[in-house]
Amino acid sequence: RAVLAPQVEVKPVSFPRVLHAEWIKLWSLRSTYWTIFATLAAMVLFAVMLGVAANVAGEEGGPDGVMAIGIGYYFAQVVVAVLGVLTITGEYSTGMIRSTLAAVPTRLSALAAKAVVVAAVGFVLGVVGVALAYLASYPLFGSEGAASLADPEVRRIFWGSGLYLAGVGVLGLGVGAILRHTAGAVTIILGVLLMLPSLWQLLMATSDWFLRSLPYLPSLAGERIAAPVIPDSGAEGIQALGPWAGFGVFMVYAALTLVVAALLLRRRDA
């Protein structure tokens, strides 16, 4: 008597299903939860520290509420960049990338889904982090010194922090996909975000080109959407970009990195 094999329903590999799979993989890692905790803790901690400093300084020109909620992105970007790197390099280190690419033969859908997931997490972290920083620092600054939610600059910092951290996560993902090695990718992305501006400032003494190009560096351009507005003194002839123009330049870097990563993903073996 013939034995009938059980019927298995086979569904096509669609982008929403790939996106759902990447979402599950991200939240199955303990590093994701540690990343979220470290990001939110850093943003709240520095807001509280500036609130305490404002109380100590009194009326002697200490930090204000806008600065308190607008500085957290600088420290949060480190953690979000590492999360973006680990999203792809973790699969290469464990060999899971072979299963991922076998399930998604087009490959580009998997990379795009990772980018969407990382960007979404980075955006929510930025907005929630600023909100928590605002709530934590408000009692320290009081109603007069705290940031006003009716201020357009404050609203820009709220949403801009999310946009910037989303871009940082995508940039980290692109670098990780290109290098496929966690240590190397983390070193590169943190060097670009944190060390490159300092190196550029040292090189400004050698050529005016470094002076003119300084505002177009990835981190200096991108942070304009999230950072409090600092009056431009015109020092050394540096013309800072506007918030949206700077964010646009930053996203060009992120997009180009992701395009290179996509091309290499199609051509290289897992």
Side-chain angles (χ1 to χ4, degrees):
R1 187 175 58 180
V3 178
L4 298 178
Q7 295 295 323
V8 178
E9 183 181 3
V10 179
K11 296 181 179 180
V13 180
S14 62
F15 184 74
R17 291 193 176 97
V18 177
L19 189 64
H20 184 244
E22 293 299 334
W23 181 262
I24 293 175
K25 283 194 290 185
L26 181 69
W27 292 105
S28 65
L29 301 174
R30 285 181 294 178
S31 59
T32 301
Y33 297 93
W34 281 109
T35 297
I36 292 175
F37 174 77
T39 302
L40 298 179
M43 298 181 78
V44 171
L45 177 61
F46 283 97
V48 171
M49 290 175 60
L50 290 182
V52 173
N55 285 327
V56 172
E59 299 180 358
E60 299 178 2
D64 58 8
V66 176
M67 180 64 68
I69 67 171
I71 195 175
Y73 78 90
Y74 185 82
F75 306 95
Q77 67 179 338
V78 175
V79 188
V80 174
V82 173
L83 174 64
V85 169
L86 291 176
T87 301
I88 184 70
T89 60
E91 292 198 30
Y92 278 103
S93 62
T94 61
M96 187 177 181
I97 190 66
R98 298 185 182 89
S99 300
T100 297
L101 299 183
V104 189
T106 57
R107 296 193 173 193
L108 297 185
S109 296
L111 182 63
K114 290 180 184 294
V116 171
V117 169
V118 169
V121 172
F123 178 79
V124 173
L125 276 178
V127 175
V128 173
V130 173
L132 292 178
Y134 174 81
L135 294 175
S137 62
Y138 187 90
L140 299 172
F141 286 99
S143 57
E144 296 183 358
S148 173
L149 297 179
D151 187 350
E153 180 185 357
V154 173
R155 293 199 295 269
R156 174 183 60 78
I157 291 173
F158 262 90
W159 301 112
S161 296
L163 291 173
Y164 178 60
L165 292 184
V168 167
V170 173
L171 186 65
L173 173 67
V175 173
I178 292 172
L179 297 183
R180 303 197 296 184
H181 188 270
T182 300
V186 169
T187 301
I188 292 296
I189 188 63
L190 295 187
V192 168
L193 294 176
L194 304 179
M195 298 181 60
L196 186 59
S198 299
L199 175 62
W200 221 258
Q201 291 177 5
L202 294 176
L203 294 174
M204 286 193 307
T206 64
S207 172
D208 290 340
W209 182 84
F210 291 102
L211 175 66
R212 293 190 300 268
S213 60
L214 180 66
Y216 295 89
L217 296 182
S219 59
L220 295 186
E223 70 180 8
R224 298 292 296 171
I225 193 67
V229 174
I230 300 176
D232 187 4
S233 61
E236 300 183 353
I238 299 176
Q239 183 64 42
L241 299 175
W244 288 107
F247 180 69
V249 171
F250 177 70
M251 289 310 297
V252 169
Y253 284 111
L256 290 176
T257 304
L258 210 57
V259 167
V260 174
L263 292 175
L264 293 177
L265 185 64
R266 289 291 299 273
R267 297 182 177 183
R268 295 190 300 199
D269 293 333

